[in-house]
Amino acid sequence: MPAGEEPSAPAPRQGPARPCLTELRLSAFGRHRRAGFSLGPVTLFVGASGSGKTTALRAYEALARLGGGAGLDEVFPDPVACVPEWARPDAQRRRGFRIGCTADGPGGPVRLDLAVQAEPELRIVGERLSAGGLVLLETALRDPGRRTVQAAWHTAGSSPVTRAPLPDDRLGTALLPLRVAGKTDGQRRVLAAAEQMLVALRSVFACDPRPERMRAPVPTGAGRLLGTCDNLADVLLRTRAECTRRHAQLVAAVRAGCAGPVTDVLAEPLGDGTVRALLDRGTAPRTELARLGDGELRHLALALVLLTGPGVLDVDPPGEVPDAMRALTVLADGFDRALDVRQRGELLRLAVRMGERGHIRCVGAVSDASWAAGTTGVTVVHLDP
């Protein structure tokens, strides 16, 4: 083969227009070992307490935060808790964990696999980004005395790879757009795969509404919904004014999940710089959120999340990618917590409908999924305790 010519490879399969994660791999993480989970537009992890539902969602969120440029110590404040109990230290007392994922998109499937050392000190010891059977980036810890890993990424120019040190506390894939010039076909392939993975990872919103924090008036602010939905009233003040069509859909969803008549969901500014949320009952007196049950509040908050987008949610998406080219993934631990049969059924139908449009995906953890089994568009992942 002539020098500088890239090895021939089969043309990548054309994937979905909006990059999204289609597989989560927990090779050795928490209680999971050699586990791989397929992810659809709506995915529910189900199992008894201790089966690893929350652990799977935490791994997903960890990958998302690393893709956004966060450091290892931010993402894993207690890294030893991620190490499987069965993992034994080597001669240098080192233990760790391994996670990975696949992002599908216009360029076809792209795989990311990560090995993290948790003890005696937290660091990345290996990373691999690959697509179409070709390794595009590979890192390895060569010198434990240095806080770097040796990285090699595909070039296919005058030399097949480029080698350089990268920090051992950051995801190398997230650094590639700053390191790769994109002058050769090989480099452009590396950049395309990295960007697809990063778009899929950064478009994530972890959500666990806390009813006890949603009842009181809140200060007016930027109108970006927090993961615990504390500031629901402030966000409603914004969304009700921005899109009447989407607000009408929210009112319909709330009507289906709340007791009594609901003609509108309102946000009322108060004179002290705060805002409170209320349900308009038509001819009956309005109801403050403080009077709603936990299930009603969680249903309202989750419906708002599924009906809105990254501009309203407290996420840090890639700003250079238009909203129309991104699929936001909602991570909902305890998706069915405090919900009755009617509420969870309505939310599932809403999640499926949004998933069909391709804009919103949902990954949730539930204690029982018999109510969702057989629903078109829903992937149920059963975990053993």
Side-chain angles (χ1 to χ4, degrees):
M1 179 179 295
E5 184 175 330
E6 187 174 357
S8 60
R13 175 185 60 79
Q14 189 71 15
R18 300 181 182 90
C20 58
L21 291 198
T22 54
E23 183 185 25
L24 177 66
R25 292 185 296 279
L26 305 181
S27 303
F29 189 79
R31 71 169 309 279
H32 297 283
R33 184 175 187 178
R34 299 191 184 96
F37 308 115
S38 296
L39 306 174
V42 179
T43 305
L44 297 178
F45 286 90
V46 59
S49 178
S51 61
K53 306 184 298 294
T54 296
T55 300
L57 266 64
R58 285 176 179 168
Y60 194 131
E61 184 181 4
L63 287 167
R65 295 183 64 192
L66 289 171
L72 275 184
D73 55 348
E74 300 174 63
V75 177
F76 300 108
D78 184 13
V80 177
C82 303
V83 178
E85 291 183 352
W86 43 263
R88 296 291 177 262
D90 63 11
Q92 286 75 43
R93 300 183 294 107
R94 295 176 300 190
R95 294 198 309 158
F97 51 89
R98 288 176 290 131
I99 56 179
C101 60
T102 298
D104 206 353
V110 177
R111 289 174 57 99
L112 173 66
D113 294 286
L114 190 66
V116 178
Q117 175 186 294
E119 295 177 318
E121 54 189 352
L122 181 63
R123 64 198 313 178
I124 292 175
V125 295
E127 178 181 347
R128 176 177 288 187
L129 182 74
S130 58
L134 183 65
V135 176
L136 302 174
L137 167 71
E138 191 164 27
T139 72
L141 180 65
R142 302 299 185 192
D143 183 354
R146 296 177 179 270
R147 294 313 308 250
T148 59
V149 291
Q150 184 63 37
W153 56 83
H154 187 59
T155 305
S158 56
S159 60
V161 298
T162 299
R163 302 183 188 278
L166 293 178
D168 67 354
D169 64 342
R170 292 291 190 277
L171 188 70
T173 299
L175 301 175
L176 285 177
L178 303 176
R179 297 296 188 102
V180 180
K183 294 182 178 179
T184 69
D185 288 342
Q187 289 177 336
R188 286 188 285 272
R189 187 171 181 180
V190 170
L191 286 174
E195 289 169 358
Q196 177 170 296
M197 177 62 69
L198 295 177
V199 169
L201 286 176
R202 291 181 61 181
S203 303
V204 168
F205 181 65
C207 177
D208 186 8
R210 300 298 180 89
E212 69 275 11
R213 300 181 183 180
M214 296 161 57
R215 291 189 165 92
V218 297
T220 54
R224 289 171 62 87
L225 189 66
L226 301 175
T228 53
C229 301
D230 304 23
N231 60 334
L232 179 71
D234 180 43
V235 176
L236 284 172
L237 184 65
R238 171 188 173 182
T239 57
R240 188 173 186 272
E242 285 184 346
C243 182
T244 56
R245 180 181 61 83
R246 187 172 296 177
H247 184 74
Q249 293 176 328
L250 174 64
V251 172
V254 173
R255 184 182 301 119
C258 287
V262 176
T263 60
D264 202 354
V265 182
L266 307 170
E268 179 182 68
L270 304 176
D272 58 356
T274 63
V275 59
R276 65 174 180 174
L278 312 97
L279 298 186
D280 191 331
R281 301 292 196 177
T283 57
R286 292 176 174 178
T287 302
E288 296 185 31
L289 259 59
R291 294 181 175 273
L292 299 184
D294 286 1
E296 291 176 307
L297 286 172
R298 281 183 58 83
H299 178 270
L300 192 163
L302 289 169
L304 177 62
V305 170
L306 292 171
L307 284 167
T308 189
V312 176
L313 305 177
D314 188 25
V315 296
D316 183 26
E320 67 279 6
V321 181
D323 287 353
M325 299 304 295
R326 288 186 278 116
L328 177 73
T329 297
V330 176
L331 297 182
D333 194 12
F335 180 83
D336 59 346
R337 188 184 311 127
L339 301 181
D340 61 27
V341 175
R342 176 188 55 168
Q343 292 164 340
R344 66 191 184 190
E346 175 63 27
L347 282 176
L348 186 66
R349 285 188 290 273
L350 178 58
V352 169
R353 189 163 75 247
M354 300 306 292
E356 290 173 346
R357 297 178 182 177
H359 294 281
I360 300 286
R361 295 168 67 88
C362 182
V363 179
V366 297
S367 57
D368 170 65
S370 58
W371 52 276
T375 303
T376 302
V378 178
T379 301
V380 178
V381 178
H382 294 273
L383 300 178
D384 297 325

